[in-house]
Amino acid sequence: MNKPFAIFDMDGTLVDSMVYWQRLGREYLTAQGVTEGMEEVLERIKPMTMAESSALFIETFGLPGTPESVMAEMNAVMDGHYRSDIPLKPGAADYLAALKAKGRKLCVATATPEPLARACLKRLEVLEDFEFLLSCDAVGSGKDRPDVFLEAARRLGAAPAETAVFEDAMFALQTAKDAGFYTVGVWDASGDKHWDAMTALADETVRDWKAAADMIKMGGTAT
C-alpha cells in the first residue's frame, strides 16, 4: 500500500470480533422472546449502525424502550468483550507499525460505537497508531453510504484518490470504491465466501497481516 493516508475498518479487519457481533442481535432478540422473523431482520441490519438496528428491532418486533435504550443494552454486552477478550488479528500490529514507519497517516472508521472501539484498541496497544477514531454513528449513516469515509478523509486532510480504505465487508469496500478511494480487501472468516469477488473488486488484498507487513517493509504491496 503506497498511499500516504489510510482508513481502517476495525471489526473483522483489525480485530477478530465478527463472531461476537454476529451472535449479538440473535442473542438479544432471543432474550426478548422473539421467535419468528428473526433471520430476515438479522440480514437487513448488516450494513446498519447500531442505532439503526435498534430502531428496526423496535419497529419490527414491538420491543419496549427506545432505540437509545436498546442500543445501550446491546452495547453493555459487547462492552465486556471489547474490554477483555476480543483479540487483534495476527500480524495487524506489525502492519500498522510498518505503515507508520513509512510516514503514513492512519485512522479508524468503524460501525462500532467510538467508546467501544477506543477501549478495544487501547487494550490491544495499537490506539496510538491512529490519528483519530470515527464512528458511523457520529456521521449518522452506515457504510452503505460514503459519508464516514469522506469525513475521515476530510479529517486526515486527504483526497479519496490518495487514501486507502481497508475493509473486510464487500458492501463497504464497494461503497469506498464508488466514492473514489483506493480499496484494500481484508480476508475474514465471516466473509470467506465472498473472497473471490472481493479480490476482483479491490485494488489490493490482504489475507495475512504479517506477510503484508513484510511486503510493506520491502516496498511492495500485499496483493
Side-chain angles (χ1 to χ4, degrees):
M1 197 286 291
N2 61 2
K3 300 297 181 181
F5 304 97
I7 300 170
F8 286 84
D9 172 54
M10 189 181 79
D11 294 279
T13 297
L14 293 175
V15 302
D16 269 327
S17 57
M18 294 309 296
V19 65
Y20 297 93
W21 282 108
Q22 287 169 347
R23 69 191 184 204
L24 176 62
R26 184 183 303 279
E27 289 179 347
Y28 180 78
L29 291 175
T30 299
Q32 298 300 312
V34 174
T35 58
E36 298 181 359
M38 188 187 302
E39 298 306 322
E40 179 184 353
V41 170
L42 292 175
E43 186 65 27
R44 286 176 62 190
I45 68 172
K46 286 183 179 179
M48 294 182 179
T49 66
M50 186 178 283
E52 292 168 335
S53 300
S54 298
L56 182 62
F57 287 169
I58 292 170
E59 177 186 353
T60 304
F61 302 112
L63 300 183
T66 64
E68 291 75 19
S69 66
V70 170
M71 185 166 60
E73 291 169 5
M74 290 196 289
N75 275 339
V77 175
M78 290 303 299
D79 184 84
H81 292 303
Y82 278 107
R83 293 180 186 279
S84 63
D85 57 0
I86 288 175
L88 196 67
K89 282 193 167 184
D94 294 327
Y95 188 85
L96 296 173
L99 288 185
K100 292 290 286 184
K102 295 281 188 180
R104 309 294 194 253
K105 292 182 69 175
L106 319 178
C107 73
V108 169
T110 177
T112 300
E114 188 270 342
L116 300 188
R118 183 173 299 278
C120 182
L121 296 176
K122 182 177 181 180
R123 174 177 59 83
L124 296 171
E125 301 182 345
V126 294
L127 181 62
E128 296 303 316
D129 290 329
F130 302 106
E131 301 293 314
F132 58 85
L133 308 183
L134 180 64
S135 72
C136 290
D137 286 333
V139 299
S141 66
K143 291 183 178 178
D144 53 337
R145 292 168 53 186
D147 304 51
V148 70
F149 300 124
L150 294 173
E151 176 61 16
R154 186 191 71 78
R155 294 190 187 188
L156 286 171
E162 60 183 352
T163 307
V165 171
F166 291 75
E167 280 282 354
D168 69 296
M170 186 75 175
F171 76 90
L173 203 71
Q174 185 70 65
T175 298
K177 192 173 187 70
D178 290 344
F181 289 89
Y182 183 87
T183 54
V184 184
V186 180
W187 183 86
D188 186 72
S190 65
D192 184 63
K193 65 181 180 180
H194 301 300
W195 182 242
D196 288 344
M198 181 175 285
T199 299
L201 172 66
D203 297 300
E204 185 178 328
T205 58
V206 173
R207 192 175 181 96
D208 179 286
W209 281 119
K210 183 63 171 66
D214 291 341
M215 290 294 289
I216 289 288
K217 293 171 186 176
M218 293 186 292
T221 64
T223 303

